[in-house]
Amino acid sequence: MNSFSALTTMKRKALRLTFATAPFLIGVVLLVSCAPAEKGKDAVTSNDAVGGTIIDAVPSDVKTLFPPAAYNALDLGIISCVFDHLADIGDDLNVLGDSGFVKQLASSWTWAPDSLSIAFSLNPKARWHDGAPVRAPDVRFTFKVYSDKRSGVRLPENVSNIDSVSIADSLTPVIWFKRRTPHQFFDATYQMYVMPAHLLDTVPMERLASHPVFRAPIGSGRFRFSNWIEKQSVEIVSDTGNYRGRARLDRFIWTISGDASSAALSVYAGNADLFERLLAEDLKDLPKYPKLRALTYTEIGYSYLAFNFRARKDVSKPHPIFSDERVRRALSMGVDRDRLARAVFDTFATPGIGPSPRELFQDPNALKPIPYDVPHARALLDSAGWTLATGQTVRSKNGVPLQFDMYVQSSSAPRKLYATYIEQQFKAIGALGTAKAVENKVLGSVLDAHDFDIVLLSWALTPGLLGMPGSWGTNGSGNDIKYGSARFDATLDSALNAFKPTVARPLWLRAMQIIIDDAPAIWLYEDKSIALLHRRIQPAVIRRDAWYAHLADWSIDPAQRIDRDRTPRGGN
């Protein structure tokens, strides 16, 4: 997943952060530290009240509600509320075995003696939102869709260790595995949202993603889908008769604001209650709005500047600049990531360490990052043949200038600002990188067409780093830059398949160091998220892989309810 959004500041005509530390930092820290602590999902409110409406302002529209193809936060947030897993991961995000997993569609499960299959006992009370019972054929159908590339599934390798799904009886699907791994249960549960076979199993696989069902999806979750007005809003309502209990809210509505600045303004104006990605410098405006507060939360993700290893539009040829490791390392040495993290995010971000946030890596201090070292960067470029002629500001090799484009998401103010600073720092080593801000749709198109030099992206990660083969492995379907390393692939595979932490730990360290040294990207930053929300909202635990995971347990303080909270809605 690589779809983070942020807003431009409210009252500035242009981005104008400087490299100096913001003078309002002390006030920012105090505001955030005064935010009420997150509450456990089983104790969201003191009086267990239900009802109310939350409107979440978001800067972009839905792309797909077909679960196997979804990857951005908005789509996944809606899908996770409407659909269920067999079981969901616990809040500690433990991916080993089944310890800590929480029951959803499955009320229990039994491992085979050889651990090569798991029989799940479905809750007999589970129903689809159209009233049909959830049964074992739904699970078998779901695996079929998630494992077939014709369906449009984004990461079929996530279920590649599952061999098949059989049916012991109507309430007992049995999932069979090709081999034992430490995360079989995770593969069988977290990776798949169960979909209704009775509505979809006659649809040709290649037509599933565009089927009308996914314009108004029917799931089994504690929220049911209500309405989607394209480019305007998406609404879900409590499934009041749900087998796991109704959602505590009556309604949750995402309103499409067009851009991040407009989304934030709608909260300040009282037209919305929540904005997920406030900029740190905008916290100084909060005292003007006593009904609002800020809440910081951590997501397991990172942002990076990725180098294309293959020629633009022709993956059969190496990239004329970035296929050379010396150039990639030199450009990495030319970026002062510590300074830029402070300039763009103040104290709300730290420099990245590699394709893993610190939250998921046991030994971040044991890694050796490529240092910021301008003299060494210049020497590396000289050795690679990219020299600077007298009187010139841009290096060249065989008459070709060291010049390239850097694509960045236009809806993300921090990324755009970061890209402008990178432009400046590249100039200091004789490289001309031109930042090009484009809309999400355009960015997706250039990635699909492989028509780019460098791109600034963000990843929200799978717990346990289990998605790393898909994003950075040689044959990974999410490996847009075509990075390939047999050493990295082999070491990563060994780390993922080590049952003992004492064995896995050094393997992970070795795999991470290999990819850091190869420099397929500049690991820019890990930022903390800041939500702007109305004080009447009482959030549940914000899980690090998905803030919306416990949305059904969010609530509204009855003493602070406003007019829109008094319009009860819900499905039977």
Side-chain angles (χ1 to χ4, degrees):
M1 294 178 283
N2 52 1
S3 56
F4 291 160
S5 296
L7 71 116
T8 52
T9 51
M10 285 183 56
K11 298 179 180 178
R12 288 192 293 275
K13 294 182 180 179
L15 292 165
R16 47 190 172 90
L17 280 176
T18 67
F19 282 92
T21 301
F24 55 87
L25 176 58
I26 293 176
V28 167
V29 173
L30 290 175
L31 278 168
V32 175
S33 65
C34 290
E38 296 170 8
K39 301 181 180 182
K41 71 172 186 174
D42 293 322
V44 179
T45 61
S46 58
N47 58 8
D48 206 34
V50 298
T53 295
I54 293 177
I55 298 178
D56 180 10
V58 293
S60 58
D61 202 357
V62 172
K63 291 180 176 59
T64 178
L65 295 180
F66 177 54
Y71 66 91
N72 69 34
L74 174 58
D75 298 0
L76 289 171
I78 298 167
I79 287 166
S80 75
C81 292
V82 174
F83 291 90
D84 284 329
H85 300 288
L86 286 169
D88 200 12
I89 197 168
D91 292 335
D92 62 357
L93 303 186
N94 177 31
V95 300
L96 302 177
D98 59 6
S99 176
F101 276 78
V102 180
K103 301 171 184 176
Q104 284 198 346
L105 287 172
S107 55
S108 64
W109 47 84
T110 304
W111 289 79
D114 63 2
S115 297
L116 287 177
S117 68
I118 306 172
F120 289 89
S121 297
L122 299 179
N123 189 320
K125 296 181 181 179
R127 294 287 185 275
W128 297 108
H129 294 148
D130 65 357
V134 178
R135 292 296 183 257
D138 297 314
V139 180
R140 182 173 60 184
F141 168 76
T142 294
F143 168 67
K144 180 181 177 182
V145 175
Y146 271 87
S147 59
D148 193 328
K149 292 182 179 179
R150 294 176 301 165
S151 71
V153 58
R154 185 166 178 268
L155 295 171
E157 60 263 40
N158 285 349
V159 295
S160 61
N161 190 41
I162 297 177
D163 177 77
S164 59
V165 177
S166 63
I167 297 175
D169 59 51
S170 64
L171 288 172
T172 312
V174 182
I175 296 183
W176 298 82
F177 301 90
K178 297 173 183 176
R179 59 192 177 102
R180 290 184 63 230
T181 73
H183 41 80
Q184 288 167 255
F185 194 84
F186 177 92
D187 292 344
T189 56
Y190 185 96
Q191 302 287 20
M192 295 184 288
Y193 287 99
V194 179
M195 296 178 290
H198 71 286
L199 297 175
L200 300 166
D201 62 359
T202 60
V203 179
M205 195 64 67
E206 59 274 10
R207 296 182 185 175
L208 272 175
S210 59
H211 194 276
V213 163
F214 295 108
R215 291 289 306 180
I218 292 174
S220 58
R222 293 171 66 191
F223 283 103
R224 62 170 59 209
F225 188 86
S226 176
N227 192 30
W228 174 10
I229 303 174
E230 196 166 347
K231 298 181 180 180
Q232 293 187 41
S233 65
V234 177
E235 179 178 345
I236 57 176
V237 299
S238 177
D239 184 43
T240 55
N242 192 267
Y243 73 105
R244 290 195 292 127
R246 62 158 291 161
R248 295 188 178 184
L249 296 169
D250 284 330
R251 299 183 296 171
F252 193 94
I253 302 170
W254 289 267
T255 58
I256 316 304
S257 297
D259 59 59
S261 182
S262 298
L265 286 170
S266 67
V267 179
Y268 285 115
N271 298 320
D273 308 299
L274 172 66
F275 177 67
E276 303 154 26
R277 290 245 159 205
L278 190 69
L279 285 182
E281 66 265 27
D282 288 322
L283 286 167
K284 67 181 183 300
D285 294 315
L286 267 182
K288 304 174 187 176
Y289 303 92
K291 293 183 180 181
L292 303 178
R293 66 183 176 97
L295 177 67
T296 58
Y297 62 100
T298 300
E299 293 181 303
I300 49 173
Y302 61 92
S303 295
Y304 61 104
L305 194 69
F307 301 113
N308 193 348
F309 276 59
R310 312 304 296 176
R312 294 181 70 154
K313 297 185 179 180
D314 188 354
V315 296
S316 67
K317 299 177 181 178
H319 194 282
I321 299 175
F322 304 122
S323 57
D324 189 334
E325 179 186 312
R326 293 169 297 179
V327 175
R328 301 193 305 271
R329 289 180 63 85
L331 291 173
S332 298
M333 289 178 182
V335 177
D336 187 347
R337 297 174 301 116
D338 292 273
R339 190 181 182 195
L340 295 191
R342 291 194 303 272
V344 178
F345 298 100
D346 215 300
T347 59
F348 289 88
T350 54
I353 59 170
S356 167
R358 289 168 176 80
E359 286 270 327
L360 292 184
F361 197 75
Q362 291 182 327
D363 301 299
N365 294 329
L367 295 169
K368 298 177 181 179
I370 295 174
Y372 173 57
D373 188 339
V374 170
H376 194 178
R378 291 169 177 162
L380 262 181
L381 290 172
D382 285 338
S383 69
W386 294 94
T387 57
L388 193 60
T390 303
Q392 298 297 310
T393 58
V394 179
R395 293 172 179 270
S396 61
K397 180 178 182 179
N398 300 325
V400 178
L402 185 54
Q403 182 175 338
F404 45 83
D405 294 330
M406 299 187 297
Y407 283 105
V408 60
Q409 182 183 359
S410 61
S411 62
S412 174
R415 289 192 221 170
K416 289 193 296 182
L417 181 59
Y418 208 117
T420 62
Y421 288 153
I422 291 175
E423 279 185 340
Q424 299 169 21
Q425 298 205 330
F426 280 170
K427 287 179 182 178
I429 60 174
L432 182 59
T434 303
K436 291 190 172 182
V438 297
E439 296 180 354
N440 286 350
K441 185 176 181 179
V442 175
L443 186 59
S445 297
V446 300
L447 289 172
D448 290 341
H450 211 75
D451 187 17
F452 65 96
D453 294 318
I454 295 180
V455 61
L456 203 165
L457 298 170
S458 293
W459 273 113
L461 297 187
T462 304
L465 299 178
L466 301 185
M468 194 173 288
S471 53
W472 293 105
T474 299
N475 298 313
S477 57
N479 183 356
D480 295 312
I481 65 172
K482 305 303 179 187
Y483 165 68
S485 166
R487 288 179 62 230
F488 175 72
D489 292 343
T491 310
L492 178 62
D493 184 68
S494 297
L496 286 169
N497 288 287
F499 282 87
K500 295 182 179 179
T502 53
V503 176
R505 193 167 181 171
L507 290 168
W508 274 112
L509 182 61
R510 192 182 312 159
M512 284 283 285
Q513 195 63 59
I514 289 170
I515 195 171
I516 289 170
D517 292 342
D518 286 345
I522 303 176
W523 319 107
L524 298 178
Y525 58 85
E526 305 166 27
D527 60 319
K528 284 188 175 293
S529 299
I530 308 170
L532 176 68
L533 70 164
H534 197 282
R535 288 186 178 275
R536 78 189 196 288
I537 298 173
Q538 298 181 335
V541 168
I542 297 179
R543 210 171 72 189
R544 290 170 297 159
D545 65 319
W547 71 265
Y548 43 77
H550 299 311
L551 195 58
D553 291 303
W554 287 40
S555 63
I556 301 294
D557 181 358
Q560 300 185 62
R561 292 187 178 179
I562 59 179
D563 287 345
R564 60 174 161 263
D565 296 316
R566 301 184 182 96
T567 305
R569 291 287 299 273
N572 296 319

